[in-house]
Amino acid sequence: GEPPAWAPGPAQAAALLEEAADLLVLHRDFAAAVERCEAGCDSLGAGPGHERCERFEEVKCSLCVVGIQALAEMNRWREVLSWVLQYYHVPEHLPPKVLELCILLYSKVREPQVMLEAGSSWLRAQANQRLPELGSLLELYLAEVLLPLGLFEGAEELVRGCAVLDSEQQLALLGTVRESRRRWTQREETRLPAEEQQEPATETLLGVLSQKLLTMVTLLRRALRSMSNHFYLLPYKKMLLATFLLYLVVVRLDPASPTSLPFIYKLVQLFRQAWAAVLSPIHRPPIRD
């Protein structure tokens, strides 16, 4: 008899899948691999009965897996979620393997919040409650998305609402959430005092260095007052600028360090004040002792 109407779709998609895999692994032509995956998914988009075909779903999922890897190899990971959703339309319809790869990918690039809504929608969807992968995906979602973001209440609610977990599994996951919350709180308590101590320490260092700077300025003023009018204006500024630059080198400030920025700002203010103090006699002839 005649083959089903949907047979050419999966067959063509399977051939494109094989090409895409070769391009990805053997030739490392990632852009071409994505093109083959897109063509394969598009070939499955028409014809009756596709959504009920297990072969269709298997090939489509494999095409998306290869496409995700190829996009990641091109550093186009930001496109991954929207790319797979153009073929599955809503997160609830994503195959477990595709959802798992998306969670792992965005966790690896430290952007777990991208999967926050998609993962929650998938785990709460009624159609996914019967899938054997539900429990493992729930654990992955907790470990890679909710807990790193500090969403402990949402994690506990999700665990308690998961019907496929038995009491022992629920207790184990709730214990994991509590332990993560404890470590999070401990880090916050350690971080805040360190930030509070940083400013007084900076102020102390600034006080010592500013005193040295003012002493240097005083000595410089005395030396400059003994100079002749011929060296009065231009060398005057150059010497003070050179002194300031030498001062920065001696104290070894690191402008690339974020913690040094407030200190440098305050030091520049001190320098401006010292500059004004040194230049104050510039508008009248030097006083002869």
Side-chain angles (χ1 to χ4, degrees):
E2 295 183 0
W6 45 262
Q12 181 183 358
L16 289 168
L17 171 61
E18 185 175 353
E19 288 184 36
D22 287 343
L23 289 166
L24 174 68
V25 178
L26 300 180
H27 305 288
R28 300 187 65 80
D29 188 346
F30 307 125
V34 172
E35 290 178 1
R36 299 299 192 282
C37 293
E38 291 175 340
C41 289
D42 289 340
S43 72
L44 295 170
H50 282 175
E51 295 302 327
R52 298 186 299 273
C53 174
E54 183 177 349
R55 174 62 174 164
F56 165 87
E57 293 295 345
E58 179 184 341
V59 174
K60 185 177 179 182
C61 175
S62 299
L63 285 165
C64 286
V65 167
V66 174
I68 289 171
Q69 182 64 34
L71 288 171
E73 293 285 355
M74 293 187 291
N75 202 29
R76 290 169 57 187
W77 52 267
R78 293 177 180 84
E79 305 172 32
V80 164
L81 183 59
S82 59
W83 185 80
V84 296
L85 286 179
Q86 68 180 324
Y87 302 114
Y88 288 98
H89 309 298
V90 292
E92 296 89 325
H93 294 167
L94 292 175
K97 185 61 176 179
V98 171
L99 179 67
E100 178 186 5
L101 285 178
C102 289
I103 291 175
L104 290 172
L105 172 64
Y106 284 104
S107 174
K108 184 176 182 179
V109 297
R110 298 183 179 180
E111 296 288 345
Q113 68 277 2
V114 174
M115 294 303 299
L116 188 60
E117 183 177 351
S120 177
S121 298
W122 193 96
L123 290 167
R124 297 177 188 276
Q126 190 62 38
N128 297 328
Q129 300 305 306
R130 300 184 299 272
L131 296 178
E133 300 90 348
L134 180 64
S136 59
L137 282 175
L138 173 60
E139 292 186 33
L140 182 68
Y141 182 68
L142 291 178
E144 304 295 342
V145 180
L146 292 185
L147 299 185
L149 293 174
L151 301 175
F152 305 110
E153 294 182 2
E156 291 178 351
E157 178 188 352
L158 197 60
V159 171
R160 292 192 175 99
C162 186
V164 300
L165 298 177
D166 57 35
S167 58
E168 185 176 346
Q169 290 173 320
Q170 281 194 356
L171 287 175
L173 288 178
L174 290 174
T176 301
V177 174
R178 285 194 295 270
E179 176 62 19
S180 181
R181 188 201 294 266
R182 186 192 64 79
R183 290 196 301 266
W184 180 287
T185 304
Q186 190 175 30
R187 285 196 301 268
E188 291 295 307
E189 291 174 350
T190 304
R191 182 176 60 86
L192 291 176
E195 291 179 351
E196 292 172 358
Q197 293 172 7
Q198 183 179 352
E199 185 65 21
T202 302
E203 293 291 343
T204 301
L205 179 61
L206 183 62
V208 173
L209 296 180
S210 63
Q211 184 61 42
K212 292 182 179 180
L213 178 59
L214 293 176
T215 301
M216 293 171 66
V217 168
T218 302
L219 294 173
L220 186 59
R221 287 188 65 182
R222 291 176 182 175
L224 289 172
R225 287 182 60 179
S226 65
M227 291 181 181
S228 63
N229 290 335
H230 178 70
F231 298 101
Y232 188 64
L233 183 59
L234 186 57
Y236 193 56
K237 294 181 180 180
K238 288 183 178 179
M239 287 181 64
L240 188 57
L241 179 58
T243 302
F244 179 62
L245 293 176
L246 179 62
Y247 181 72
L248 290 180
V249 172
V250 170
V251 299
R252 296 182 180 181
L253 295 176
D254 181 10
S257 173
T259 57
S260 70
L261 295 179
F263 174 78
I264 294 176
Y265 174 74
K266 292 177 182 178
L267 192 58
V268 169
Q269 288 181 319
L270 274 175
F271 173 68
R272 288 176 177 171
Q273 294 172 4
W275 174 262
V278 175
L279 292 185
S280 58
I282 205 167
H283 300 294
R284 60 179 185 272
I287 299 172
R288 297 182 181 276
D289 295 331

